[in-house]
Every structure is written in C-alpha cells, then in structure tokens.
Amino acid sequence: MSDSRPVLRVLGAGFHPTIQDLGRHGAQRLGIPVSGALDPLALRMANVLVGNDEGEAAIEIRLLGPTLEVAADDVRVALVGTEAALEVLGPAGNRLVPAGVSARVPRGWRLRVGAVKDTACCYLAVGGGFDLPAPFGSKSTYVRSGIGGLDGRSLRDGDMLPLTSGAAPAGRERALPADYRAVYGSGAVRVVLGPQDGWFTAEAVERLLSSTFTVSREADRMGLRLDGPELPHARGYNIASDGIATGAIQVPGSRKPIMLLADHQTTGGYPKIATVTSADLPRVGRLRPGAELGFRAVGIAEAEELRRAQEALLAEVLAGVHDAEEATSVRVSALYRENLISGVFSIGTA
Amino acid sequence: MPTEFLSCGDTALVVQFGETVDAETNRRVMGLDATIRRHAIPGIVETVPTFRSLMIHYDPRRTSREALVGEVEPLLADEGALDASFSRWTLPVCYGPEHAPDLEDVARRTGLSPERVIAVHSGVTYRVYMIGFLPGFPYMGDLPRELELPRREEPRTRVPAGSIAIATTQTVVYPCESPGGWHLIGRTPVPMFTLSREQPVLFRPGDEIRFKAVEAAEYDDIAARAAAGSFTLAPDREVSA
C-alpha cells in the first residue's frame, strides 16, 4: 500500500464501530440481512453536511466512539445523531465541533468521539465516503457473516480506512437547522398490528398497547429484547418460518417481545404480534438498554402517510442546511464552561 | 385455504398461500415470486419466498399497500409462470461421531439404530423449500416421517459451520457457526456460502438434494481443498424448464 493513499488511521476503535449505509436490498432471498444504519435519518443528515449523497456509507458509532488520524491532505467530516461533540485534536490546539456541523480537518490531526450516552448510535460521515467494496450493492457491515464494511467486521485499533477522496473542497462549513430533531417524532411508538396478531390472546394485544416496556440489556443491531408484561400466545409459538420486516415485534416461547432491527434474520418461525412503522424505526434504533417505551396502533394507510410526512419534513431540514457561523467550532474550555457537551437527545416515550 | 394478504408494517406485504409446509404450496410461492420479478412493479424493493408465503418488501414513499394489492392480485391467476429450472446435487456428509453429536440421541428418541438413521437420512431426495435465517441456510424437506422430532429443548449457543441438522419435517445445513436448536447428525465440508463465489449461495429454492455418506478422511480432504479455494461442488444435473 502506498503512503499517498488517503486513509483514516484508526488509533483507537472505541466500541466496535461499523461502516453502515442505507442497507443491502435484494439479497434477503439468499438469507442475507439488510443491515444498514440503525438511525438512517442521522446518517442521511450527516452525509448532506459533508456534501455526499444521502445514502453514502459512514461510521456507525455505539457507546464509545473512535479516535482517528487523518492521513490525507484534509477531510470534511460531520457527526450527527448525538449531542456529544466531535473533538478535533491538532498541533495548534484542540477544539470541539458540535454535532450537526461539518468541519475540515487537515493531515496529521486527529478526530475523537468519546462516550455517547444519549443514543444507541450516531454517525460520522466523511466527504467522498470510503473506498470499500459494496457486496450486493451495499457497504454496510454484517458482522455475523463477514459481509461488507472493512473485511466484514467492526473497526479495530490500527485499521486503515481507505477514503475515496484525498482532499476536501474549500468552502464554508455547513450546519443543520436548529430544529432538525423534529424529524424523529415523539410519543408512543406507532405500530401496525400483525402479521400474526391472530396468534395471540386478545389480552396480549391489549397489554402491548397499554403497557410500558423497558429495553433490556439484550440489545444489539439485530434487535431489542423488551422487559414488561408477558404477551401470551393463543395458538402456540411456532409458525412455519416466513419473512420478517424490519421493526417486526416477534414473541418467542418466553412471551417477551423482541423488536427486530437492521441486522435481523431474513425469516423466522415465531409469531409477530405487530410491526413498528417505518417512520418510528429511526428513533427505535436509537434506544439504549433501560429506555422505556409504549406502543400505539395505527392503520396501514396512516403508517404510510406518517412515513411520507416524515420524508417531507426531512426534505425541509435538508433544504435548511446553511453555512455555519465562524463561531460554531469553539475552544474546548468555553464549551465545558457552558456545559453544552452532555445535552440530552430525548426521543420522548410518553 | 384462500390466499391472504397480511400487512407487516408499512414496508412489507405478505401473500400467504397456506400455513403448512408442503411442496405444492411452496411451488405457488415460487411461481408468484417469478411472476412479480418479471413484472418489475414500481415501489417493490425485493421479494422473499418462504415455505408458504411470499414477502414483498416495498418503499412506502413510492407505493402503498393498496396499490400493491391491486397490482399483485391479478397475477395470482397467472399459473404456469413458474421458472421450473433447478439443479440436482449430491452433498457429501460425514456422519461420524466427531461430526454428529446428536446422532445417538436421535437414534434413541426415534427407536432406530444410528446406522438406520444415517441410511434413512441419506436415502431420499430432498427439495430446497427456501433459503433463510442466515446467508445460504437451506431448509430442505421432506424428512422421512420416522426421523421427525421437535427441536431441542435447550438450543446450543454454538453450532459448527457445515453441520447437518434435523427437526420437524426438515433438514438443514448451518452455513456458518451460529446458535441453533436442531439435532446435529452430520457435517458437510462443502461451503454453503462463499462471498467471493460468483453465486455465493450454493443451493436455490426448488433444487433437489441427496446426501452421500463419506468417511472422515474424505471429509478432511474436501475440507482442506475447500479452505484452499480449490474445491467446487458441481451439480449432478441442471434441469431447465
């Protein structure tokens, strides 16, 4: 490998970050999951800030972010999905770039995202994206089968992440409008009942829609196991395996529901009592263990309308991306003083 | 049972032909799958054929459940649309004790000798009903009645790649190491899923499979060649429509 090849050097990986885009569509018939960003809204916003197509692959950060060194002339980056700031560490001093604002970082400088406490996932996009193969049309990493990303796995200390572009175009940095969080929606998570709600007792459906559930510690990119009241089956818990949509809430023999997320298996043999609407999947993907949530049933036409409305809102947000003020990136000391670092990015679950 | 449309949120619609596993129902699933793929209906992201239903993943920004049902319903009558081409394969399997941790248990529970379990399992031709669960994971049936058992009460946390397993009316191959609740009665050295292969998944729905018992030495030989990238399993025969 030539020294001139532009890369991000992974000095410290953090907690198993992976490369994710909007997912691998078309290969589920081969048993290959869709994968992709748990919070596709944040991914799309981060990409627009750095001048990429919305669906370019970025680094999905969970719990603890990476430390990266720029080994390119310079790169433009943006962090979206958390209130944690991006730390830019260089010979001339350190600064903090707030989430939702792009920054140009020169060769030899380092980027660091520390502990992420307000979401299960956030995204660091890089202008031009990563020069990685796209098996079945996607760079998304599916670790279990070693597909996509960098060698089919999460990032490790010492990795060299190849960049498509070795230099960032000059120009003002860009910022999301202040109210961008509105795209996520709030309140009870909206679901469409089915496809197998008929396999449950009427009481189980009533409990699903009237109870508060808590995300358990068994939570990963495949799904979230929920603690809460049991949801009893009326017809047993084994069906002939059929397809699974992202957001399906399956209930195995334990009677404890599991919300299936991006890395979910393509097919499964447990009945699915309801399915999270696609408009609410991004905020569900952000839930961390301990988060509380409730569910509300909507009809299929309403669910489709919610998604279209969300897309319209996102289009407004993206149209509202504007030049960042010079003062947007601030010296570390000032930000600590004003206690702006550890804001709460609540999704609201009342 | 009449054909039903089931909603799976606002991104997937299931066309369900029945609730049981049988070859006739599965052929109808594959027939509709082939027809829909030919028609290139706007807003459909992908289709996933399973035992007895077809899942149609769609983009609610580009279509709706109502519009899709309107497009798909007329296609249900389109009989004879099935692409009936398939391949016949013979898959080498080592049923030796080091590769078959549950063989004795299966023998005890079915009242057969271990030799008889092997003879019955490798004595029939199976049909691949679907690929699901994991990349390249084939569900094959129908298992001879005398081998039918429910799944294990305690699933294993680690099933080795290549394991041949049985439960209910099906036999499967685990393409990669994973948790699993099926009874392990053998292991194949042939990779089911190889990303670098032109066709990464070896079997396709509709293919016919026979198992051939091999000794541990032959297993090891094939496994070594497969690991070195110098082994390719070719179908015995390709049957076109």
Side-chain angles (χ1 to χ4, degrees):
Chain A
M1 190 184 302
S2 146
D3 282 340
S4 62
R5 187 182 176 201
V7 299
L8 287 181
R9 221 174 255 140
V10 180
L11 300 181
F15 184 78
H16 307 297
T18 54
I19 301 294
Q20 301 293 344
D21 56 20
L22 293 176
R24 185 169 282 114
H25 299 279
Q28 288 195 79
R29 60 176 48 248
L30 304 178
I32 298 171
V34 176
S35 303
L38 289 172
D39 176 358
L41 293 173
L43 174 80
R44 293 164 72 184
M45 291 188 278
N47 272 322
V48 168
L49 286 178
V50 298
N52 289 348
D53 288 343
E54 290 178 24
E56 185 54 69
I59 302 176
E60 183 176 273
I61 294 168
R62 295 163 67 76
L63 300 177
L64 182 67
T67 303
L68 309 164
E69 185 185 288
V70 177
D73 289 347
D74 50 14
V75 294
R76 177 162 282 114
V77 295
L79 179 69
V80 174
T82 175
E83 300 296 296
L86 173 66
E87 298 171 50
V88 177
L89 317 169
N94 302 343
R95 63 189 175 115
L96 287 176
V97 178
V101 181
S102 70
R104 197 159 68 146
V105 184
R107 182 183 296 277
W109 289 46
R110 280 176 286 159
L111 301 163
R112 198 174 87 91
V113 177
V116 176
K117 295 176 177 163
D118 55 347
T119 172
C121 59
C122 59
Y123 298 85
L124 183 68
V126 180
F130 299 104
D131 183 18
L132 291 169
F136 303 100
S138 166
K139 295 176 186 173
S140 287
T141 318
Y142 176 58
V143 171
R144 183 185 284 257
S145 291
I147 301 173
L150 185 69
D151 301 332
R153 55 171 175 77
S154 58
L155 302 183
R156 291 180 194 150
D157 297 0
D159 276 343
M160 302 279 212
L161 256 179
L163 299 170
T164 303
S165 166
R172 291 284 292 273
E173 300 309 325
R174 305 281 283 167
L176 290 173
D179 56 354
Y180 72 91
R181 295 169 193 83
V183 297
Y184 288 94
S186 60
V189 171
R190 292 157 297 191
V191 297
V192 177
L193 290 178
Q196 280 101 24
D197 49 319
W199 282 66
F200 294 85
T201 64
E203 193 187 12
V205 174
E206 198 271 330
R207 279 182 188 171
L208 176 76
L209 300 177
S210 64
S211 309
T212 299
F213 293 85
T214 306
V215 177
S216 77
R217 299 202 70 81
E218 290 177 76
D220 58 18
R221 286 187 38 86
M222 201 166 168
L224 308 177
R225 202 177 284 262
L226 302 181
D227 288 330
E230 294 191 343
L231 305 179
H233 305 85
R235 298 175 60 192
Y237 54 86
N238 282 297
I239 60 170
S241 286
D242 70 349
I244 293 178
T246 305
I249 302 174
Q250 71 173 19
V251 186
S254 67
R255 301 177 173 183
K256 297 280 191 184
I258 301 170
M259 282 200 286
L260 293 167
L261 302 181
D263 278 357
H264 68 79
Q265 62 276 32
T266 58
T267 63
Y270 294 122
K272 297 163 281 289
I273 190 168
T275 311
V276 176
T277 58
S278 63
D280 282 347
L281 278 174
R283 64 188 171 108
V284 163
R286 301 171 55 77
L287 294 175
R288 296 161 59 93
E292 294 188 342
L293 70 160
F295 297 101
R296 180 165 77 80
V298 297
I300 183 71
E302 186 182 350
E304 290 168 347
E305 191 43 54
L306 285 169
R307 177 64 186 282
R308 288 178 206 125
Q310 182 180 57
E311 285 296 317
L313 200 53
L314 178 67
E316 273 181 44
V317 165
L318 296 178
V321 168
H322 54 273
D323 285 349
E325 293 163 29
E326 295 295 346
T328 306
S329 97
V330 295
R331 281 175 301 114
V332 176
S333 54
L335 205 67
Y336 276 114
R337 196 169 55 238
E338 289 167 35
N339 195 24
L340 293 173
I341 299 167
S342 58
V344 175
F345 199 25
S346 168
I347 71 153
T349 53
Chain B
M1 173 165 189
T3 303
E4 286 183 274
F5 290 95
L6 308 179
S7 288
C8 309
D10 57 326
T11 64
L13 172 70
V14 157
V15 187
Q16 179 167 281
F17 293 96
E19 290 195 340
T20 55
V21 177
D22 63 82
E24 184 46 42
T25 303
N26 188 241
R27 281 193 189 95
R28 294 184 68 195
V29 172
M30 289 173 55
L32 181 63
D33 180 49
T35 303
I36 287 177
R37 281 158 73 87
R38 263 204 315 280
H39 278 74
I41 298 166
I44 292 184
V45 177
E46 63 181 311
T47 53
V48 181
T50 65
F51 287 118
R52 38 74 184 222
S53 64
L54 182 71
M55 178 167 264
I56 304 171
H57 293 273
Y58 67 92
D59 184 342
R61 297 170 297 182
R62 297 183 56 213
T63 186
S64 66
R65 176 200 154 104
E66 194 184 356
L68 267 186
V69 170
E71 299 256 24
V72 171
E73 210 155 30
L75 304 180
L76 292 172
D78 192 358
E79 295 289 346
L82 177 57
D83 168 15
S85 64
F86 65 95
S87 301
R88 288 205 175 110
W89 304 82
T90 301
L91 191 68
V93 176
C94 181
Y95 294 95
E98 68 274 39
H99 295 306
D102 295 334
L103 184 60
E104 292 284 345
D105 184 49
V106 167
R108 196 164 47 246
R109 295 172 66 166
T110 56
L112 305 173
S113 67
E115 296 72 27
R116 181 69 192 152
V117 171
I118 295 167
V120 172
H121 186 256
S122 58
V124 296
T125 299
Y126 300 93
R127 165 193 165 77
V128 177
Y129 276 99
M130 59 180 269
I131 306 289
F133 181 56
L134 290 169
F137 187 104
Y139 288 86
M140 298 168 282
D142 295 330
L143 194 68
R145 276 256 154 94
E146 47 206 310
L147 294 182
E148 281 187 25
L149 290 171
R151 285 174 217 187
R152 287 165 55 89
E153 278 167 24
E154 286 294 322
R156 281 188 173 81
T157 52
R158 287 176 64 166
V159 172
S163 292
I164 306 285
I166 60 170
T168 67
T169 62
Q170 303 285 308
T171 185
V172 298
V173 187
Y174 284 86
C176 57
E177 184 182 291
S178 100
W182 295 48
H183 308 273
L184 312 183
I185 62 164
R187 198 170 172 197
T188 181
V190 178
M192 290 289 108
F193 179 76
T194 309
L195 197 53
S196 57
R197 210 157 46 195
E198 192 182 337
Q199 302 276 354
V201 171
L202 195 60
F203 300 153
R204 317 200 139 246
D207 280 2
E208 292 185 357
I209 316 294
R210 284 186 78 92
F211 298 109
K212 186 182 85 168
V214 299
E215 297 300 322
E218 187 173 349
Y219 173 97
D220 292 341
D221 174 56
I222 296 174
R225 285 156 61 202
S230 60
F231 177 84
T232 309
L233 188 73
D236 306 332
R237 199 176 151 208
E238 292 183 43
V239 182
S240 49

